[in-house]
Amino acid sequence: MRFSTLIALSILSTLGAAQPMENSTGHIFPLNAVWKFAEADSSNWNLAAVPGCVHTDLLRNGLIPDPFSGTNELHCQWIGERDWVYETEPFSIDEKTLRNDIVRI
């Protein structure tokens, strides 16, 4: 499963409590809450920065060496071979909004 698919599934599966803001194109759902990430099927959660990527989140949490230093990139190849899950606080999107052609989150 691709990372973007996991994000989409995570977002759709955590529908719950955030309130939308209005703008000229409709609703904007702020997702600037605290995010966390883990390897799929793991219970070892770490803080994440969204927008961002798993590589920078792993580096920020001290879980990988700096891939731009020496030959460290070789020691980080496993990251792209794993599935990663990102989660945040629940938010809700009503059915009417989901029927729109474009929903910005």
XYZ file of all heavy atoms in Angstrom:
829
model
N 0.844 -1.173 0.000
C 0.000 0.000 0.000
C 0.890 1.238 0.000
O 1.850 1.304 0.739
C -0.897 -0.024 1.236
C -1.916 1.079 1.234
S -3.088 0.970 2.612
C -3.975 -0.489 2.174
N 0.582 2.218 -0.797
C 1.398 3.419 -0.922
C 1.136 4.371 0.243
O 0.073 4.371 0.835
C 1.102 4.108 -2.240
C 1.379 3.176 -3.435
C 1.633 3.969 -4.638
N 2.845 4.741 -4.482
C 3.989 4.456 -5.059
N 4.088 3.406 -5.805
N 5.036 5.223 -4.899
N 2.131 5.210 0.549
C 2.057 6.170 1.644
C 0.856 7.088 1.487
O 0.125 7.328 2.434
C 3.362 6.969 1.682
C 3.369 8.058 2.693
C 3.482 7.775 4.034
C 3.248 9.364 2.295
C 3.483 8.779 4.965
C 3.245 10.378 3.218
C 3.364 10.086 4.556
N 0.613 7.630 0.271
C -0.513 8.538 0.068
C -1.841 7.839 0.319
O -2.782 8.437 0.827
C -0.475 9.134 -1.338
O -0.514 8.107 -2.305
N -1.920 6.555 -0.006
C -3.131 5.801 0.264
C -3.330 5.643 1.765
O -4.443 5.765 2.265
C -3.055 4.412 -0.402
O -2.812 4.593 -1.794
C -4.347 3.646 -0.204
N -2.245 5.389 2.489
C -2.349 5.259 3.946
C -2.834 6.553 4.577
O -3.658 6.536 5.486
C -0.998 4.866 4.541
C -0.580 3.426 4.298
C 0.837 3.202 4.799
C -1.531 2.472 4.977
N -2.306 7.698 4.099
C -2.758 8.988 4.627
C -4.250 9.160 4.362
O -5.003 9.533 5.248
C -1.958 10.150 4.006
C -0.542 10.162 4.540
C -2.626 11.486 4.262
C -0.435 10.573 5.986
N -4.680 8.883 3.133
C -6.094 9.037 2.796
C -6.962 8.124 3.648
O -7.991 8.552 4.168
C -6.317 8.755 1.312
N -6.549 6.878 3.811
C -7.315 5.961 4.642
C -7.336 6.410 6.090
O -8.352 6.324 6.766
C -6.744 4.553 4.534
C -6.942 3.862 3.194
C -6.201 2.533 3.174
C -8.408 3.659 2.903
N -6.210 6.898 6.571
C -6.135 7.374 7.942
C -7.065 8.554 8.148
O -7.792 8.628 9.131
C -4.696 7.766 8.281
O -4.640 8.291 9.579
N -7.063 9.480 7.202
C -7.918 10.664 7.306
C -9.381 10.254 7.283
O -10.170 10.677 8.118
C -7.608 11.659 6.177
C -6.253 12.325 6.443
C -8.700 12.715 6.050
C -5.734 13.159 5.297
N -9.762 9.393 6.348
C -11.160 8.993 6.246
C -11.603 8.126 7.414
O -12.755 8.166 7.821
C -11.399 8.272 4.925
C -11.286 9.161 3.692
C -11.427 8.317 2.435
C -12.307 10.275 3.712
N -10.676 7.357 8.001
C -11.067 6.482 9.095
C -11.098 7.177 10.445
O -11.598 6.633 11.402
C -10.133 5.276 9.158
O -8.843 5.695 9.533
N -10.570 8.402 10.527
C -10.553 9.094 11.809
C -11.581 10.213 11.880
O -11.435 11.138 12.676
C -9.153 9.683 12.095
O -8.804 10.584 11.059
C -8.118 8.601 12.235
N -12.604 10.154 11.068
C -13.613 11.212 11.083
C -14.216 11.337 12.477
O -14.603 10.369 13.071
C -14.709 10.906 10.059
C -14.229 10.783 8.618
C -15.399 10.466 7.714
C -13.525 12.026 8.174
N -14.278 12.591 12.988
C -14.745 12.775 14.345
C -15.095 14.190 14.752
O -16.238 14.515 14.739
N -14.129 15.141 15.086
C -14.509 16.347 15.826
C -14.098 17.728 15.339
O -14.630 18.678 15.849
C -13.987 16.201 17.252
N -13.178 17.966 14.444
C -12.726 19.318 14.091
C -13.811 20.087 13.349
O -14.580 19.531 12.593
C -11.464 19.262 13.235
N -13.860 21.391 13.567
C -14.851 22.232 12.915
C -14.261 22.863 11.663
O -13.166 23.395 11.691
C -15.316 23.329 13.882
C -16.022 22.784 15.103
C -17.272 22.028 14.731
O -18.041 22.464 13.891
N -17.469 20.864 15.332
N -14.990 22.850 10.541
C -14.482 23.446 9.313
C -14.522 24.962 9.378
O -15.306 25.542 10.124
C -15.441 22.925 8.250
C -16.712 22.665 8.980
C -16.293 22.235 10.363
N -13.653 25.617 8.597
C -13.674 27.060 8.439
C -14.191 27.343 7.035
O -13.954 26.576 6.115
C -12.261 27.643 8.582
C -11.633 27.377 9.915
S -9.999 28.116 10.106
C -9.170 27.696 8.603
N -14.887 28.440 6.832
C -15.393 28.810 5.523
C -14.344 29.611 4.763
O -13.575 30.359 5.342
C -16.655 29.668 5.670
C -17.843 28.933 6.227
C -18.481 28.004 5.217
O -18.277 28.187 4.014
O -19.188 27.082 5.647
N -14.284 29.437 3.447
C -13.515 30.314 2.575
C -14.287 30.447 1.280
O -15.373 29.914 1.133
C -12.084 29.799 2.363
C -12.001 28.625 1.417
O -13.009 28.127 0.931
N -10.805 28.181 1.148
N -13.719 31.143 0.303
C -14.445 31.419 -0.929
C -14.718 30.162 -1.752
O -15.597 30.163 -2.604
C -13.681 32.435 -1.766
O -12.409 31.908 -2.098
N -13.980 29.082 -1.522
C -14.183 27.862 -2.299
C -14.922 26.791 -1.512
O -15.063 25.679 -1.982
C -12.826 27.284 -2.772
O -12.039 26.985 -1.622
C -12.106 28.259 -3.665
N -15.387 27.106 -0.318
C -16.104 26.114 0.479
C -15.492 25.976 1.846
O -15.107 26.957 2.459
N -15.390 24.754 2.333
C -14.857 24.487 3.656
C -13.374 24.160 3.601
O -12.911 23.514 2.683
C -15.573 23.301 4.308
C -17.017 23.552 4.591
N -17.444 24.549 5.414
C -18.123 22.916 4.145
C -18.755 24.519 5.477
N -19.195 23.542 4.710
N -12.657 24.599 4.616
C -11.272 24.181 4.834
C -11.249 23.484 6.185
O -11.766 24.000 7.168
C -10.300 25.372 4.846
C -10.253 26.038 3.480
C -8.906 24.912 5.269
C -9.365 27.262 3.443
N -10.665 22.307 6.233
C -10.564 21.559 7.467
C -9.125 21.633 7.959
O -8.237 21.026 7.375
C -10.979 20.104 7.247
C -12.420 19.967 6.874
C -12.815 20.049 5.561
C -13.378 19.798 7.858
C -14.145 19.942 5.217
C -14.711 19.692 7.520
C -15.101 19.768 6.202
N -8.863 22.410 9.025
C -7.491 22.540 9.514
C -7.009 21.228 10.136
O -7.706 20.626 10.945
C -7.586 23.645 10.564
C -9.010 23.628 11.012
C -9.817 23.157 9.827
N -5.859 20.781 9.703
C -5.292 19.541 10.219
C -3.952 19.818 10.886
O -3.022 19.030 10.795
C -5.126 18.517 9.088
C -6.409 18.066 8.420
C -6.110 17.085 7.301
C -7.350 17.439 9.433
N -3.859 20.955 11.561
C -2.592 21.343 12.181
C -2.489 20.870 13.628
O -1.793 21.452 14.427
C -2.402 22.852 12.091
C -3.539 23.617 12.743
O -4.552 23.037 13.106
N -3.373 24.908 12.883
N -3.160 19.806 13.939
C -3.099 19.225 15.281
C -1.807 18.424 15.425
O -0.984 18.369 14.524
C -4.310 18.326 15.500
N -1.652 17.771 16.537
C -0.493 16.916 16.774
C -0.635 15.649 15.937
O -1.664 14.980 15.978
C -0.366 16.557 18.270
C 0.755 15.577 18.496
C -0.169 17.822 19.092
N 0.404 15.322 15.175
C 0.436 14.115 14.350
C 1.436 13.138 14.926
O 2.423 13.531 15.548
C 0.835 14.446 12.919
C -0.249 15.078 12.120
C -0.595 16.396 12.097
C -1.141 14.433 11.219
N -1.636 16.604 11.247
C -1.990 15.415 10.681
C -1.286 13.107 10.807
C -2.984 15.118 9.759
C -2.276 12.805 9.884
C -3.117 13.808 9.375
N 1.193 11.857 14.699
C 2.142 10.820 15.089
C 2.220 9.794 13.967
O 1.315 9.706 13.126
C 1.746 10.174 16.409
C 0.381 9.505 16.398
C -0.005 8.986 17.763
C -1.381 8.316 17.724
N -1.726 7.734 19.001
N 3.311 9.039 13.938
C 3.480 8.039 12.898
C 4.125 6.794 13.475
O 4.773 6.838 14.516
C 4.325 8.584 11.735
C 5.804 8.595 12.005
C 6.642 7.656 11.411
C 6.375 9.528 12.861
C 8.004 7.662 11.668
C 7.733 9.541 13.112
C 8.551 8.602 12.524
N 3.910 5.681 12.780
C 4.504 4.401 13.181
C 4.578 3.510 11.949
O 3.855 3.719 10.968
C 3.666 3.715 14.252
N 5.457 2.543 12.023
C 5.466 1.531 10.983
C 4.161 0.743 11.111
O 3.675 0.510 12.224
C 6.668 0.612 11.169
C 6.873 -0.339 10.023
C 8.157 -1.139 10.148
O 9.051 -0.750 10.913
O 8.233 -2.175 9.472
N 3.575 0.372 9.976
C 2.313 -0.383 10.006
C 2.471 -1.602 10.898
O 3.517 -2.236 10.933
C 1.923 -0.790 8.593
N 1.436 -1.923 11.650
C 1.412 -3.070 12.567
C 2.380 -2.915 13.742
O 2.780 -3.902 14.345
C 1.685 -4.387 11.827
C 0.650 -4.659 10.751
O -0.528 -4.332 10.980
O 1.030 -5.169 9.682
N 2.794 -1.689 14.048
C 3.670 -1.435 15.187
C 2.946 -0.545 16.188
O 2.064 0.226 15.819
C 4.955 -0.735 14.715
O 5.705 -0.294 15.832
N 3.325 -0.645 17.431
C 2.740 0.227 18.454
C 3.752 1.281 18.916
O 3.536 1.942 19.917
C 2.255 -0.603 19.639
O 3.345 -1.321 20.197
N 4.856 1.426 18.185
C 5.897 2.400 18.527
C 5.640 3.716 17.805
O 6.151 3.950 16.710
C 7.283 1.854 18.144
C 7.623 0.608 18.917
O 7.288 0.482 20.087
N 8.273 -0.331 18.253
N 4.818 4.575 18.403
C 4.446 5.852 17.798
C 5.478 6.919 18.112
O 6.035 6.954 19.204
C 3.075 6.283 18.298
C 1.989 5.381 17.806
C 1.461 4.314 18.462
C 1.324 5.454 16.552
N 0.499 3.714 17.682
C 0.393 4.399 16.507
C 1.424 6.317 15.464
C -0.437 4.181 15.416
C 0.593 6.098 14.379
C -0.319 5.041 14.359
N 5.711 7.809 17.143
C 6.617 8.945 17.300
C 5.937 10.191 16.766
O 5.038 10.109 15.917
C 7.908 8.712 16.498
C 8.718 7.572 17.070
O 9.414 7.739 18.042
N 8.595 6.399 16.468
N 6.381 11.362 17.225
C 5.822 12.617 16.729
C 6.177 12.818 15.269
O 7.268 12.461 14.825
C 6.334 13.791 17.551
C 5.797 13.875 18.980
C 6.423 15.052 19.706
C 4.275 13.989 18.987
N 5.249 13.415 14.524
C 5.440 13.662 13.100
C 5.157 15.126 12.788
O 4.440 15.802 13.530
C 4.504 12.775 12.289
N 5.724 15.598 11.689
C 5.441 16.941 11.181
C 4.669 16.775 9.879
O 5.123 16.109 8.953
C 6.726 17.711 10.947
N 3.486 17.367 9.795
C 2.655 17.299 8.598
C 2.353 18.720 8.162
O 1.893 19.521 8.973
C 1.346 16.527 8.883
C 0.399 16.585 7.696
C 1.664 15.088 9.250
N 2.672 19.106 6.908
C 3.198 18.234 5.862
C 4.656 17.855 6.132
O 5.387 18.573 6.809
C 3.069 19.060 4.586
C 3.087 20.473 5.045
C 2.484 20.475 6.429
N 5.054 16.753 5.571
C 6.401 16.233 5.740
C 6.484 14.861 5.125
O 5.634 14.483 4.314
N 7.485 14.104 5.517
C 7.609 12.744 4.996
C 8.218 11.859 6.077
O 8.778 12.335 7.064
C 8.447 12.702 3.722
S 10.200 12.973 3.966
N 8.110 10.561 5.876
C 8.571 9.614 6.879
C 10.077 9.733 7.105
O 10.550 9.580 8.231
C 8.142 8.174 6.520
C 8.881 7.650 5.315
C 8.312 7.255 7.718
N 10.844 10.045 6.059
C 12.294 10.162 6.221
C 12.659 11.293 7.187
O 13.469 11.103 8.094
C 12.964 10.400 4.862
C 12.870 9.218 3.955
N 11.740 8.951 3.212
C 13.751 8.239 3.678
C 11.939 7.848 2.514
N 13.146 7.389 2.784
N 12.048 12.451 7.005
C 12.365 13.569 7.905
C 11.821 13.313 9.310
O 12.433 13.728 10.294
C 11.832 14.906 7.358
O 10.431 14.803 7.100
C 12.567 15.298 6.078
N 10.696 12.616 9.410
C 10.159 12.289 10.738
C 11.056 11.292 11.466
O 11.289 11.417 12.667
C 8.731 11.760 10.626
C 7.746 12.848 10.234
O 7.995 14.026 10.566
O 6.735 12.527 9.594
N 11.569 10.300 10.755
C 12.500 9.347 11.369
C 13.778 10.055 11.807
O 14.282 9.817 12.909
C 12.831 8.220 10.391
C 11.702 7.221 10.121
C 12.022 6.365 8.904
C 11.447 6.358 11.344
N 14.297 10.941 10.968
C 15.515 11.686 11.298
C 15.283 12.591 12.505
O 16.084 12.617 13.446
C 15.965 12.506 10.086
C 17.250 13.305 10.245
C 18.433 12.397 10.540
C 17.507 14.127 8.976
N 14.170 13.311 12.509
C 13.841 14.236 13.606
C 13.730 13.501 14.941
O 14.070 14.037 15.991
C 12.533 14.954 13.289
C 12.165 16.041 14.276
C 10.873 16.773 13.912
N 10.946 17.400 12.600
C 10.349 16.943 11.486
N 9.616 15.845 11.525
N 10.462 17.572 10.344
N 13.262 12.265 14.900
C 13.111 11.466 16.119
C 14.353 10.655 16.467
O 14.336 9.845 17.396
C 11.899 10.535 15.983
C 10.584 11.277 16.149
O 10.167 11.541 17.269
N 9.954 11.646 15.047
N 15.442 10.857 15.716
C 16.696 10.167 16.006
C 16.669 8.679 15.705
O 17.442 7.918 16.277
N 15.797 8.257 14.788
C 15.644 6.843 14.486
C 16.483 6.377 13.294
O 16.594 5.172 13.066
C 14.164 6.516 14.257
C 13.271 6.826 15.468
C 11.809 6.662 15.105
C 13.648 5.932 16.643
N 17.009 7.325 12.531
C 17.919 7.002 11.425
C 19.064 8.011 11.442
O 18.915 9.119 11.959
C 17.222 7.032 10.040
C 16.656 8.428 9.743
C 16.181 5.938 9.931
C 16.168 8.611 8.312
N 20.208 7.631 10.848
C 21.299 8.590 10.715
C 20.977 9.574 9.586
O 20.122 9.298 8.737
C 22.498 7.715 10.357
C 21.898 6.538 9.659
C 20.558 6.314 10.325
N 21.654 10.700 9.553
C 21.451 11.693 8.501
C 21.791 11.061 7.150
O 22.945 10.732 6.887
C 22.337 12.907 8.751
C 22.125 14.009 7.734
O 21.447 13.783 6.708
O 22.658 15.111 7.955
N 20.796 10.870 6.271
C 21.052 10.191 5.004
C 21.938 10.996 4.050
O 22.432 10.454 3.072
C 19.656 9.974 4.408
C 18.770 10.924 5.111
C 19.386 11.193 6.448
N 22.162 12.268 4.342
C 23.010 13.106 3.495
C 24.452 13.141 3.983
O 25.266 13.876 3.453
C 22.435 14.525 3.414
C 21.082 14.561 2.761
C 19.954 14.809 3.514
C 20.948 14.316 1.403
C 18.700 14.832 2.917
C 19.697 14.333 0.796
C 18.576 14.590 1.559
N 24.757 12.374 4.988
C 26.112 12.320 5.542
C 26.780 11.000 5.171
O 26.250 9.921 5.460
C 26.055 12.481 7.061
O 27.340 12.401 7.620
N 27.941 11.092 4.540
C 28.700 9.894 4.191
C 27.884 8.916 3.372
O 27.209 9.289 2.416
N 27.937 7.663 3.776
C 27.185 6.614 3.066
C 25.923 6.206 3.828
O 25.383 5.117 3.612
C 28.077 5.370 2.853
O 28.498 4.891 4.138
C 29.278 5.682 1.985
N 25.448 7.087 4.704
C 24.255 6.774 5.505
C 23.027 6.457 4.657
O 22.143 5.727 5.095
C 23.927 7.918 6.460
C 24.893 7.994 7.613
O 25.649 7.056 7.862
N 24.892 9.116 8.303
N 22.967 7.011 3.447
C 21.812 6.736 2.596
C 21.636 5.232 2.380
O 20.512 4.730 2.315
C 21.967 7.436 1.243
C 20.794 7.217 0.323
C 20.964 7.892 -1.031
O 22.026 8.470 -1.288
O 20.016 7.811 -1.818
N 22.727 4.511 2.316
C 22.659 3.061 2.137
C 21.981 2.378 3.317
O 21.340 1.335 3.167
C 24.063 2.485 1.936
C 24.827 2.989 0.715
C 26.256 2.466 0.725
C 24.102 2.593 -0.553
N 22.102 2.965 4.505
C 21.509 2.387 5.711
C 20.040 2.778 5.886
O 19.409 2.352 6.857
C 22.306 2.811 6.948
C 23.752 2.451 6.864
N 24.203 1.157 6.944
C 24.843 3.228 6.668
C 25.513 1.141 6.823
N 25.932 2.385 6.660
N 19.524 3.582 4.952
C 18.137 4.060 5.057
C 17.242 3.514 3.947
O 16.087 3.911 3.837
C 18.112 5.586 5.025
S 18.971 6.360 6.407
N 17.745 2.606 3.137
C 16.976 2.072 2.016
C 15.735 1.303 2.464
O 14.733 1.250 1.759
C 17.863 1.174 1.144
C 19.017 1.909 0.492
C 18.546 3.005 -0.444
O 17.707 2.768 -1.293
N 19.067 4.196 -0.265
N 15.768 0.728 3.633
C 14.658 -0.074 4.145
C 13.385 0.745 4.346
O 12.277 0.192 4.326
C 15.049 -0.726 5.467
C 15.415 0.265 6.541
C 16.648 0.790 6.767
C 14.545 0.851 7.499
N 16.615 1.674 7.816
C 15.323 1.735 8.295
C 13.194 0.723 7.779
C 14.786 2.485 9.327
C 12.651 1.470 8.822
C 13.456 2.329 9.578
N 13.515 2.058 4.505
C 12.360 2.904 4.822
C 11.291 2.824 3.734
O 10.102 2.709 4.021
C 12.807 4.358 5.046
C 13.767 4.414 6.230
C 11.607 5.274 5.246
C 14.519 5.723 6.353
N 11.713 2.881 2.473
C 10.767 2.833 1.367
C 10.147 1.470 1.142
O 9.179 1.340 0.387
N 10.655 0.463 1.800
C 10.128 -0.892 1.652
C 9.084 -1.231 2.716
O 8.535 -2.333 2.722
C 11.281 -1.892 1.718
C 12.290 -1.697 0.604
C 13.553 -2.505 0.806
O 13.646 -3.256 1.803
O 14.458 -2.375 -0.029
N 8.852 -0.314 3.616
C 7.905 -0.539 4.722
C 6.659 0.318 4.523
O 6.679 1.325 3.824
C 8.546 -0.166 6.065
C 9.909 -0.777 6.308
C 9.817 -2.220 6.792
N 11.101 -2.858 6.886
C 11.919 -2.812 7.928
N 11.586 -2.128 9.001
N 13.070 -3.455 7.908
N 5.579 -0.067 5.152
C 4.356 0.728 5.172
C 4.337 1.560 6.445
O 4.723 1.074 7.522
C 3.117 -0.171 5.126
C 2.935 -0.859 3.788
O 3.312 -0.265 2.759
O 2.423 -1.989 3.769
N 3.870 2.802 6.327
C 3.853 3.735 7.447
C 2.451 4.277 7.636
O 1.717 4.487 6.672
C 4.837 4.881 7.196
C 6.234 4.372 7.029
C 6.851 4.046 5.852
C 7.160 4.084 8.063
N 8.117 3.580 6.106
C 8.338 3.594 7.454
C 7.120 4.194 9.451
C 9.453 3.220 8.178
C 8.237 3.821 10.177
C 9.387 3.339 9.541
N 2.072 4.519 8.886
C 0.748 5.023 9.225
C 0.911 6.336 9.976
O 1.746 6.442 10.880
C -0.015 4.010 10.112
C -1.377 4.548 10.501
C -0.134 2.678 9.406
N 0.120 7.329 9.600
C 0.087 8.613 10.276
C -1.295 8.805 10.883
O -2.300 8.455 10.269
C 0.374 9.758 9.296
C 1.838 9.937 9.003
C 2.533 9.023 8.225
C 2.526 11.028 9.518
C 3.881 9.187 7.967
C 3.875 11.199 9.267
C 4.545 10.274 8.490
O 5.887 10.434 8.242
N -1.348 9.369 12.095
C -2.625 9.630 12.764
C -2.604 11.009 13.400
O -1.552 11.537 13.747
C -2.890 8.612 13.869
C -3.241 7.242 13.381
C -3.650 6.326 14.531
O -3.687 6.748 15.704
O -3.933 5.164 14.230
N -3.784 11.565 13.549
C -3.963 12.817 14.278
C -5.280 12.735 15.036
O -5.945 11.700 15.042
C -3.943 14.033 13.330
O -3.875 15.230 14.113
C -5.157 14.069 12.421
N -5.652 13.839 15.646
C -6.904 13.883 16.387
C -8.079 13.700 15.431
O -8.016 14.107 14.268
C -7.025 15.226 17.102
C -5.929 15.451 18.121
C -5.954 16.848 18.712
O -6.878 17.625 18.391
O -5.034 17.161 19.469
N -9.168 13.102 15.897
C -10.340 12.906 15.029
C -10.941 14.223 14.557
O -10.855 15.241 15.240
C -11.331 12.176 15.933
C -10.503 11.572 17.004
C -9.349 12.509 17.206
N -11.524 14.194 13.374
C -12.248 15.335 12.830
C -13.420 14.786 12.033
O -13.470 13.598 11.725
C -11.352 16.214 11.958
C -10.778 15.503 10.766
C -11.411 15.568 9.533
C -9.611 14.770 10.877
C -10.897 14.902 8.440
C -9.077 14.106 9.781
C -9.723 14.174 8.558
N -14.386 15.631 11.721
C -15.553 15.132 10.991
C -15.760 15.913 9.704
O -15.440 17.091 9.613
C -16.813 15.223 11.859
O -17.078 16.570 12.174
N -16.267 15.206 8.723
C -16.644 15.796 7.436
C -18.033 15.284 7.134
O -18.279 14.077 7.137
C -15.670 15.388 6.316
C -14.259 15.853 6.635
C -16.129 15.950 4.980
C -13.217 15.401 5.645
N -18.949 16.214 6.875
C -20.323 15.780 6.620
C -20.461 15.200 5.212
O -19.637 15.425 4.330
C -21.301 16.940 6.835
C -20.993 18.111 5.929
O -21.245 17.988 4.717
O -20.501 19.139 6.427
N -21.524 14.432 5.007
C -21.770 13.756 3.722
C -21.863 14.748 2.566
O -21.392 14.478 1.469
C -23.047 12.920 3.809
C -22.918 11.699 4.689
C -21.944 10.681 4.110
O -21.879 10.524 2.882
O -21.251 10.035 4.912
N -22.488 15.898 2.806
C -22.638 16.906 1.740
C -21.265 17.360 1.245
O -21.036 17.470 0.048
C -23.434 18.104 2.264
C -23.631 19.185 1.254
C -24.410 20.353 1.838
C -24.479 21.485 0.835
N -25.053 22.693 1.420
N -20.349 17.609 2.155
C -18.995 18.030 1.778
C -18.285 16.943 0.993
O -17.609 17.217 0.000
C -18.181 18.412 3.032
O -18.857 19.472 3.716
C -16.782 18.861 2.673
N -18.437 15.700 1.403
C -17.777 14.592 0.713
C -18.287 14.397 -0.711
O -17.600 13.814 -1.543
C -17.934 13.303 1.506
C -17.122 13.226 2.804
C -17.472 11.963 3.575
C -15.633 13.279 2.509
N -19.495 14.886 -1.024
C -20.025 14.769 -2.384
C -19.452 15.822 -3.327
O -19.654 15.747 -4.524
C -21.553 14.862 -2.347
C -22.218 13.588 -1.833
C -23.720 13.589 -2.082
N -24.419 14.634 -1.348
C -24.904 14.507 -0.121
N -24.772 13.355 0.513
N -25.529 15.496 0.479
N -18.729 16.828 -2.797
C -18.124 17.854 -3.644
C -17.019 17.258 -4.511
O -16.400 16.268 -4.151
C -17.525 18.976 -2.785
C -18.595 19.812 -2.122
O -19.665 19.999 -2.667
N -18.293 20.275 -0.922
N -16.789 17.872 -5.658
C -15.713 17.413 -6.553
C -14.342 17.649 -5.919
O -13.421 16.879 -6.147
C -15.770 18.142 -7.891
C -16.995 17.723 -8.713
O -17.487 16.600 -8.528
O -17.434 18.541 -9.539
N -14.211 18.728 -5.156
C -12.926 19.068 -4.516
C -13.170 19.332 -3.036
O -14.070 20.098 -2.673
C -12.294 20.333 -5.147
C -11.980 20.080 -6.620
C -11.043 20.745 -4.385
C -11.522 21.323 -7.361
N -12.414 18.673 -2.185
C -12.427 18.926 -0.745
C -10.994 19.142 -0.328
O -10.142 18.263 -0.489
C -13.035 17.742 0.047
C -12.970 18.015 1.545
C -14.447 17.466 -0.403
N -10.679 20.330 0.173
C -9.320 20.635 0.604
C -9.211 20.399 2.093
O -10.008 20.906 2.870
C -8.967 22.083 0.271
C -8.821 22.318 -1.202
C -8.358 23.743 -1.459
N -8.004 23.932 -2.824
C -8.849 24.276 -3.783
N -10.124 24.472 -3.501
N -8.444 24.431 -5.026
N -8.199 19.621 2.470
C -7.979 19.370 3.889
C -6.547 19.716 4.249
O -5.694 19.814 3.418
C -8.288 17.936 4.300
C -7.512 16.946 3.437
C -9.770 17.665 4.197
C -7.661 15.528 3.874
